[in-house]
Amino acid sequence: MTRGPALTGKSLLSGLLRCARCGRKLHVTYTGANGNVVRYACNSASVNHGAERCISFGGLAVDRAVERELLKVVEPAAVQAALDALAELEASRDERRAALELALRQPRYEADRARRQYDAVEPENRLVASELERRWNAALEEVRRLEEELCRLLPSDANLSEDEREELLSLSEDLQSVWNNPLTDMRTKKRLVRTVIEEIIADVDEERAVVELVIRWAGGYHTRLLVKKNRTGEHRFRTDRKAVEVVRELAKVTRDRDIAAILNRLGIKTGKGNTWTEARVRSLRNEHGIPVFTDDGENPKWLTMKDAASLLGVSPTSVHRLILEGVLPARQVVPCAPWMIEKHSLESEAVRQAVAGIKQGGKRPLPHHPDQQKLDLKPM
């Protein structure tokens, strides 16, 4: 049940995590080709009693989340707040010290008075001398108690000087770069974590796919964190679901090369943070079972503006005008993506009239479409 020493493993939180369900400490395991993938699990009930395992989750995202909170705590603003709190504590200690010095005057006077009375009593009067001696000892005991309490409040040599305070603030500014330096020893990081964190209560919400953490800081404060948990089959390098859906829609109307260009213009990255290429788009399609775009079909369901213009016998600019006027229904998956037009939309009466007007006069106004105000032209 103890935290144990800070070992050299890759796990930052080993010995600090406690299961919110059974109260036992979480075990650490290492997986991966090089044994550097951390995983936390509550296995004690399973090992000792044959019960089901309480919780289990990957440690990479959890370690990073706790690191971010730790760096927030020790950043310059937090250190300055700690220094201000220290100054307030010193001020309160000074007030308490002054009150004790005043309170000490009365017991000292009583002790001195009892001593003088004891010295003045006749030796033959033993009963009186015994009572005066008892009073004297009681007064001396009270003096001793107050003096010891006062000594505990005296200024300590451990108080920070102004130079030490400035040095502490400057070190906190460099902490993040030192922390992320690959040469920084893991045991040093763990010692720092254990200095400011008492323990972390962990639980898993499978429905929301999150790890719930409650950090108990040294000093009594608590912080609640929600860390995204990968679902079954997901991993940290998995491409974002939004990018997958964008590729799924774009593959209906354009080739992999054009899809890669659109994703790059939008700033969407692969799971490993790379830019898109035709080969990467093809690999993503194959992984998720997305059919490749082909323009060999005789009856395609979706058309681009160029395809629609060819079938209608007008220019792509005219088709774009029809879309903007709301005559020809179309949609964009994301900005910069090609307009997607369903083939059957070209056969509507409104489109036929508009195309006829364009071919006859070119600049004649387009006929009013009864559903024009209802068409949603915003990108999906």
Side-chain angles (χ1 to χ4, degrees):
M1 300 299 289
T2 59
R3 297 195 299 180
L7 304 178
T8 58
K10 297 293 184 180
S11 166
L12 181 68
L13 306 178
S14 60
L16 292 178
L17 289 167
R18 186 182 297 278
C19 178
R21 302 182 185 182
C22 67
R24 295 181 173 92
K25 289 289 187 177
L26 269 61
H27 292 89
V28 183
T29 56
Y30 296 94
T31 60
N34 299 320
N36 56 359
V37 179
V38 181
R39 188 165 188 83
Y40 300 110
C42 182
N43 295 328
S44 296
S46 176
V47 173
N48 298 330
H49 311 292
E52 294 185 0
R53 184 174 58 185
C54 292
I55 58 175
S56 175
F57 52 89
L60 296 177
V62 170
D63 284 1
R64 292 196 190 99
V66 174
E67 282 182 4
R68 289 192 293 268
E69 289 300 316
L70 174 68
L71 294 176
K72 286 181 184 179
V73 169
V74 297
E75 67 182 358
V79 175
Q80 183 60 55
L83 294 177
D84 294 341
L86 180 61
E88 293 181 4
L89 179 62
E90 289 295 329
S92 175
R93 184 178 297 175
D94 291 341
E95 293 178 359
R96 175 62 177 165
R97 187 186 305 118
L100 282 176
E101 289 176 348
L102 289 176
L104 191 57
R105 293 182 180 179
Q106 181 64 26
R108 283 177 175 171
Y109 170 77
E110 294 292 341
D112 183 67
R113 182 167 175 268
R115 179 188 61 79
R116 287 187 280 106
Q117 288 178 337
Y118 180 80
D119 291 341
V121 71
E122 294 293 336
E124 294 79 6
N125 198 346
R126 294 180 178 227
L127 292 177
V128 176
S130 177
E131 177 63 20
L132 292 176
E133 183 180 11
R134 186 191 63 79
R135 294 180 183 178
W136 185 16
N137 288 332
L140 290 175
E141 182 64 24
E142 180 67 11
V143 170
R144 184 189 63 80
R145 186 186 66 81
L146 292 176
E147 286 180 343
E148 288 180 353
E149 187 175 352
L150 182 61
C151 288
R152 289 195 294 267
L153 295 177
L154 290 178
S156 173
D157 295 335
N159 292 339
L160 296 177
S161 64
E162 290 300 324
D163 292 340
E164 289 172 332
R165 291 170 186 251
E166 294 296 330
E167 184 179 1
L168 179 59
L169 290 175
S170 63
L171 287 175
S172 65
E173 295 174 352
D174 297 334
L175 178 61
Q176 186 164 359
S177 59
V178 174
W179 183 277
N180 296 324
N181 192 321
L183 298 179
T184 302
D185 185 35
M186 193 64 189
R187 284 176 296 186
T188 302
K189 293 183 179 181
K190 291 185 178 183
R191 291 192 186 99
L192 177 58
V193 171
R194 289 157 181 260
T195 301
V196 296
I197 296 179
E198 292 290 342
E199 69 173 0
I200 302 174
I201 311 300
D203 199 357
V204 176
D205 189 333
E206 296 292 352
E207 293 185 1
R208 295 187 297 165
V210 295
V211 179
E212 301 177 354
L213 302 176
V214 177
I215 304 176
R216 291 182 52 200
W217 302 96
Y221 292 97
H222 294 70
T223 300
R224 184 170 183 266
L225 291 181
L226 296 179
V227 183
K228 184 180 180 300
K229 179 180 181 294
N230 291 333
R231 298 182 185 273
T232 303
E234 295 183 347
H235 51 80
R236 57 178 172 145
F237 295 131
R238 187 176 179 87
T239 303
D240 187 80
R241 293 185 179 182
K242 179 181 178 182
V244 175
E245 294 304 317
V246 170
V247 172
R248 190 185 303 277
E249 294 298 321
L250 292 178
K252 299 175 181 179
V253 295
T254 190
R255 300 173 178 83
D256 293 345
R257 180 179 63 255
D258 300 325
I259 294 175
I262 293 171
L263 293 175
N264 290 331
R265 284 199 297 269
L266 293 173
I268 299 176
K269 301 292 185 180
T270 67
K272 292 187 177 182
N274 298 321
T275 56
W276 289 94
T277 63
E278 183 178 357
R280 288 169 179 160
V281 173
R282 181 167 55 250
S283 175
L284 179 67
R285 283 194 305 95
N286 293 336
E287 180 183 353
H288 293 275
I290 301 174
V292 64
F293 169 76
T294 175
D295 53 4
D296 296 334
E298 297 180 359
N299 296 307
K301 179 181 179 181
W302 294 96
L303 304 172
T304 63
M305 285 196 306
K306 183 178 179 181
D307 297 331
S310 177
L311 292 175
L312 294 174
V314 296
S315 67
T317 303
S318 297
V319 174
H320 192 215
R321 180 185 172 198
L322 293 176
I323 294 173
L324 295 180
E325 292 291 338
V327 177
L328 179 60
R331 66 191 183 94
Q332 278 182 309
V333 180
V334 289
C336 303
W339 285 98
M340 299 175 60
I341 306 166
E342 290 189 277
K343 186 177 181 180
H344 68 82
S345 300
L346 304 182
E347 301 173 359
S348 68
E349 185 63 26
V351 173
R352 292 178 182 274
Q353 293 180 17
V355 170
I358 292 174
K359 290 180 178 180
Q360 291 178 6
K363 296 184 179 180
R364 292 169 56 183
L366 296 173
H368 175 71
H369 190 278
D371 297 329
Q372 180 173 339
Q373 301 300 324
K374 301 179 182 179
L375 294 176
D376 186 8
L377 297 179
K378 296 182 180 180
M380 294 183 65

